[in-house]
Amino acid sequence: MTLLQGLNSEQRAAVELPPRSALILAGAGSGKTRVLTTRIAWLISTGQATPSGILAVTFTNKASKEMVTRLTAMLPINPRGMWIGTFHGLCNRMLRAHYREANLPQTFQILDSGDQLSAIKRLMKVMNVDEEKYPPREMQWFISGNKEEGLRAHEVEAYDPYTRRKVEIFAEYDAQCQREGVVDFSELLLRCYELLQRNAQLREHYQARFRHILVDEFQDTNPLQYRWLKLLAGQNNAIFAVGDDDQSIYAFRGANVGNMQDLLRDFRIENVIKLEQNYRSHGNILDAANALISHNPNRLGKNLWTDAHKGEQIRVYEASTDIDEAGFIVEEVQQLRREGVKLDEIALLYRSNAQSRVLEHALVSAGLSYRVYGGLRFFERQEIKHALAYLRLMENSEDDNALLRIINFPTRGIGARSIEQLQESARQFNTSLFDAAARAGGKVSAFVALIESLRGAIKDLPLPEIIDHVLEHSGLRGHYENERSTASKKREAEERLENLNELLNAATLFVHEAEDDGLTAFLTHASLESGEHQAGDSEDALHLMTVHAAKGLEFHTVFITGLEQGLFPHQNSIDSGEVDEERRLMYVAITRARRRLYLSFAQSRMLHGQVHYGMASSFLRELPEALLHWLTPRFAAAKPATRETESYLAAFGAAAPAAPAALWRAGQRVFHQKFGEGTITGVEGGGSDGRVQVNFKHAGSKWLALEYAKLTAV
């Protein structure tokens, strides 16, 4: 059959499976989309199903459109009658068809995230809820998170008055939505699940219709999505699930990798078909990925391979600093261009968004076009713009845009009506908003007092201390620290805090590079850095992105940066003992590369405005040595320090030749001018190229490169 031409034996076996539930364990680059679409085409062409009798679920609209495009290219069918779409899209379609049974108006509207937040704020105002105590965005996460677990307000356990009040708001929010005939995104799935659960006639109708249910990216399903699929499948229908437990990286969004094991048990699936032949990467890259992921327990297990050649070894670079790391990457990118590799075929990956600033600065300085994929450039991020707005207003009271951005952030009870009155007053007296605010009373005058207080406190401080003081006393840092205590907001808040700390790093480095190190000069620098550097859609440009954003993409060359313990794997996962998902994330990063892969880490990196010494990621030790080509001597300083690097280290008292490693021994007490007293717990290498591990009383355990670290015996 023409449909099956070009499929390998495992792909063909998956496509031709008899009508029973199956799990297709599809490795990275193994052609899973082709298998999924060919399976649908095969079922239709062999008469086992009609187009309207198939339900295919994807996670993005882009994926569902691609599936329809491929299908219509394979078969002369009209896609209008097919049920192919995202969970939310399919549930919306079902609710539209059965709005009465779902207790919805025929013209019910869907609230996007912004509309939902506005609805919650409006409700809380009616309920006289203190927004300081119950931030609306936190309530939004509370409501959506519980719905995605399949819980209504009355089903949420509340052990204390605070949670009970949140449950009350949740219940009133649902009642308000019902009155107004609107649903939010999480309501679409929950309402549809409840409809099928309680209405046996409707459930049996769809079970009879959809004999074949196909699911893409099954490892990303959450508990409610799996329950919805089980309802539709019933006792007789077949679920054809395609996924990869080794690429399950969205636990923070509610994805449950355990759904794959549950599927095997609940549907008594005995034969798991593994798609292990990779059509993307060279052999050495795949061997590295296989070796790394083998350290994860409880895998379903597979081993990627290719009939292409082994290719190049993986290049590993140990930098002296994060600036050196960025400089090395720029040099390699320029060399790749000379070799004929387009910038568009190169990706720079990092674990945390905050890492992009140093890379962006190096790329701008080198005149290399880049595009931040799935995110914002550093100086365009919300929290950075908030911090800069405080600094701009303190520097220039006439800056109305800065005032409008921060007058009620963090929330201080200054509402829209108060701001309108302020603008009216400014127009009437032809003054700035700040001058108008100075004439106002109440909470507006308290804001003016805050700005004046900040302005007075920073008068004689150096730039890094100015920024640190403003982050602390404006309430910005405290705002995101409070959000971090909320489980649903923890990850986002941590990223924002990391970005604020990176702003402090940027200021610290600016002081030691610029001729004019004042606040005005720094704000000008920030404006220029946030200018039109990001490439347009049609321009040949590098891709910068987090590893999470890279899933599903592929590139000729990939740089995985910042491979230090505590950064990747992230410290939170180390502290919680949950490194498995971080390892899956590293697996995803490695398998984005087709031909060339670089791994880089730095001996020292600026964090919180200070140089911190780290050690190489444990993931590097999990890669076979035979696959690696070290561009720097293993565990030695990366290369002779450049003038920029020396300035960077000297600025923090970190640059000075040290005694050779042979003079230090485990158990010896030492003193470091940044970290204080400590005890040596390990010595590595010889001569001045060595490094020591020191357990500091107040700074914890750190590896220090002796080429730069000033240590004295105590």
Side-chain angles (χ1 to χ4, degrees):
M1 183 181 289
T2 306
L3 281 176
L4 305 179
Q5 286 181 356
L7 298 179
N8 64 39
S9 58
E10 289 77 17
Q11 290 173 333
R12 183 163 183 155
V15 168
E16 294 183 308
L17 277 172
R20 62 170 184 262
S21 292
L23 176 61
I24 313 303
L25 201 59
S30 63
K32 72 175 181 63
T33 304
R34 184 181 184 187
V35 167
L36 200 58
T37 51
T38 306
R39 169 70 173 177
I40 296 173
W42 185 78
L43 288 171
I44 294 171
S45 63
T46 56
Q48 297 182 66
T50 62
S52 61
I54 285 176
L55 183 82
V57 190
T58 67
F59 270 84
T60 66
N61 288 318
K62 180 182 177 182
S64 60
K65 287 176 182 175
E66 181 183 354
M67 192 178 294
V68 170
T69 300
R70 290 196 187 196
L71 273 171
T72 52
M74 292 179 181
L75 296 174
I77 56 176
N78 185 344
R80 286 176 178 265
M82 303 187 74
W83 282 58
I84 298 178
T86 64
F87 279 99
H88 291 114
L90 294 172
C91 287
N92 173 61
R93 185 171 177 175
M94 200 172 286
L95 291 174
R96 295 285 177 194
H98 307 285
Y99 63 90
R100 289 192 185 89
E101 294 91 337
N103 193 25
L104 288 170
Q106 185 174 8
T107 57
F108 71 85
Q109 298 299 305
I110 300 171
L111 301 177
D112 63 19
S113 181
D115 293 334
Q116 183 189 22
L117 184 61
S118 297
I120 290 170
K121 288 179 177 179
R122 179 161 48 87
L123 172 71
M124 290 173 66
K125 190 172 183 179
V126 172
M127 294 179 68
N128 198 27
V129 176
D130 183 357
E131 289 192 6
E132 293 282 347
K133 189 174 182 181
Y134 299 92
R137 193 169 291 278
E138 183 180 316
M139 281 304 311
Q140 182 180 26
W141 281 78
F142 177 79
I143 291 168
S144 297
N146 277 296
K147 285 186 179 184
E148 286 166 7
E149 289 290 324
L151 299 175
R152 290 295 181 190
H154 68 274
E155 297 171 308
V156 177
E157 294 182 352
Y159 297 105
D160 56 75
Y162 179 76
T163 309
R164 281 196 291 274
R165 184 58 167 160
K166 289 170 73 172
V167 169
E168 289 172 8
I169 298 168
F170 181 4
E172 286 299 320
Y173 166 78
D174 267 358
Q176 175 180 281
C177 289
Q178 185 65 37
R179 285 194 304 273
E180 297 176 0
V182 296
V183 297
D184 55 47
F185 277 112
S186 51
E187 179 72 17
L188 282 170
L189 183 60
L190 181 55
R191 181 76 64 115
C192 189
Y193 172 77
E194 291 171 339
L195 172 64
L196 292 172
Q197 186 183 45
R198 70 170 180 268
N199 192 319
Q201 184 178 0
L202 202 60
R203 182 173 68 249
E204 289 165 6
H205 163 76
Y206 280 109
Q207 287 173 348
R209 176 175 181 172
F210 298 130
R211 293 295 187 186
H212 298 275
I213 300 170
L214 301 96
V215 190
D216 192 15
E217 303 285 10
F218 189 81
Q219 76 280 352
D220 293 335
T221 54
N222 66 30
L224 182 58
Q225 288 165 342
Y226 180 53
R227 286 160 59 189
W228 183 79
L229 289 167
K230 283 178 66 179
L231 267 184
L232 281 172
Q235 297 296 315
N236 303 312
N237 295 344
I239 289 184
F240 185 91
V242 180
D244 182 2
D245 57 337
D246 291 335
Q247 294 189 77
S248 180
I249 59 173
Y250 295 122
F252 66 92
R253 293 183 188 168
N256 178 24
V257 68
N259 283 350
M260 299 187 87
Q261 297 282 2
D262 291 344
L263 179 77
L264 295 176
R265 183 191 65 246
D266 295 342
F267 289 85
R268 295 187 281 281
I269 297 173
E270 298 177 359
N271 183 25
V272 176
I273 294 181
K274 300 179 181 182
L275 304 183
E276 298 173 298
Q277 184 174 0
N278 178 281
Y279 294 93
R280 175 188 301 160
S281 306
H282 277 165
N284 283 333
I285 293 170
L286 298 180
D287 290 346
N290 289 331
L292 176 88
I293 204 65
S294 68
H295 289 80
N296 268 7
N298 305 318
R299 297 171 58 230
L300 293 174
K302 65 182 183 315
N303 211 51
L304 296 178
W305 62 276
T306 178
D307 56 13
H309 53 77
K310 287 292 186 182
E312 304 171 351
Q313 286 180 300
I314 296 164
R315 292 162 165 82
V316 186
Y317 184 80
E318 180 178 11
S320 52
T321 70
D322 48 352
I323 292 178
D324 175 31
E325 179 186 42
F328 160 75
I329 291 169
V330 165
E331 291 173 6
E332 291 297 305
V333 168
Q334 290 169 330
Q335 178 58 36
L336 284 163
R337 289 185 80 184
R338 289 190 286 270
E339 294 173 10
V341 180
K342 293 176 62 180
L343 291 180
D344 192 58
E345 281 290 317
I346 304 171
L348 277 54
L349 307 185
Y350 35 80
R351 174 63 179 83
S352 167
N353 266 311
Q355 292 170 249
S356 78
R357 189 199 61 81
V358 174
L359 296 170
E360 288 185 61
H361 179 72
L363 294 172
V364 170
S365 299
L368 288 169
S369 298
Y370 69 91
R371 187 180 299 111
V372 179
Y373 183 92
L376 296 171
R377 290 171 290 175
F378 180 78
F379 284 105
E380 291 181 344
R381 292 168 191 162
Q382 177 203 90
E383 59 279 8
I384 300 302
K385 295 184 82 168
H386 286 332
L388 293 176
Y390 274 101
L391 296 168
R392 283 165 44 201
L393 188 61
M394 289 157 52
E395 191 77 349
N396 174 19
S397 298
E398 305 292 313
D399 193 333
D400 287 352
N401 284 333
L403 181 142
L404 288 171
R405 185 174 191 90
I406 59 174
I407 190 170
N408 197 40
F409 194 94
T411 305
R412 48 179 62 92
I414 301 174
R417 181 57 189 149
S418 297
I419 294 172
E420 288 173 8
Q421 291 171 343
L422 203 61
Q423 291 172 317
E424 290 169 7
S425 175
R427 282 193 294 269
Q428 181 181 349
F429 292 97
N430 194 27
T431 66
S432 68
L433 289 176
F434 190 83
D435 287 340
R439 295 190 299 271
K443 293 173 181 176
V444 173
S445 64
F447 170 72
V448 172
L450 169 65
I451 298 299
E452 295 289 8
S453 171
L454 291 172
R455 187 178 287 149
I458 68 168
K459 190 172 294 183
D460 299 316
L461 295 178
L463 180 63
E465 292 183 33
I466 288 175
I467 293 178
D468 193 40
H469 183 89
V470 170
L471 293 179
E472 190 64 36
H473 293 88
S474 66
L476 276 179
R477 189 175 277 151
H479 170 79
Y480 293 117
E481 284 172 349
N482 287 337
E483 284 200 335
R484 186 168 58 178
S485 64
T486 304
S488 57
K489 295 286 287 181
K490 182 178 180 181
R491 185 174 182 274
E492 180 185 339
E494 284 176 344
E495 281 202 355
R496 296 196 188 281
L497 286 167
E498 287 174 0
N499 285 331
L500 289 178
N501 287 327
E502 188 60 32
L503 180 65
L504 184 58
N505 297 342
T508 306
L509 189 57
F510 179 79
V511 166
H512 298 284
E513 288 183 341
E515 293 180 9
D516 180 355
D517 60 3
L519 179 55
T520 300
F522 178 71
L523 290 171
T524 300
H525 162 77
S527 297
L528 293 173
E529 287 277 297
S530 64
E532 297 302 317
H533 298 302
Q534 177 145 301
D537 291 340
S538 60
E539 187 177 348
D540 185 32
L542 284 163
H543 297 273
L544 271 66
M545 65 190 79
T546 64
V547 182
H548 279 102
K551 187 171 180 289
L553 304 176
E554 60 181 79
F555 304 91
H556 175 281
T557 299
V558 168
F559 292 82
I560 305 176
T561 67
L563 280 169
E564 295 131 46
Q565 200 71 356
L567 191 55
F568 198 4
H570 198 279
Q571 191 62 47
N572 289 345
S573 70
I574 297 171
D575 292 342
S576 63
E578 298 175 354
V579 181
D580 291 359
E581 181 149 333
E582 290 287 298
R583 190 175 285 108
R584 292 196 291 268
L585 198 57
M586 181 65 176
Y587 175 86
V588 166
I590 290 173
T591 54
R592 299 311 94 196
R594 293 199 300 267
R595 297 293 175 264
R596 185 175 293 184
L597 177 62
Y598 290 85
L599 310 177
S600 64
F601 62 100
Q603 295 172 350
S604 61
R605 185 176 296 274
M606 199 187 297
L607 300 169
H608 312 291
Q610 294 183 338
V611 169
H612 284 242
Y613 297 88
M615 59 188 296
S617 169
S618 56
F619 294 154
L620 284 168
R621 296 195 294 274
E622 296 174 0
L623 302 178
E625 277 295 323
L627 302 177
L628 307 180
H629 171 55
W630 286 77
L631 301 176
T632 46
R634 182 97 186 253
F635 300 128
K639 65 178 182 179
T642 62
R643 186 169 65 179
E644 184 182 34
T645 302
E646 288 170 350
S647 169
Y648 172 93
L649 291 165
F652 306 97
L663 297 183
W664 302 108
R665 66 183 187 280
Q668 188 173 7
R669 292 179 62 215
V670 293
F671 178 82
H672 186 277
Q673 63 184 40
K674 276 290 176 191
F675 306 128
E677 286 190 21
T679 303
I680 293 177
T681 56
V683 181
E684 204 169 69
S688 60
D689 285 345
R691 64 179 191 168
V692 294
Q693 186 178 34
V694 183
N695 186 20
F696 292 101
K697 285 184 179 179
H698 303 295
S701 181
K702 299 182 183 297
W703 279 97
L704 306 182
L706 288 171
E707 182 178 2
Y708 300 114
K710 288 182 176 178
L711 282 180
T712 54
V714 175

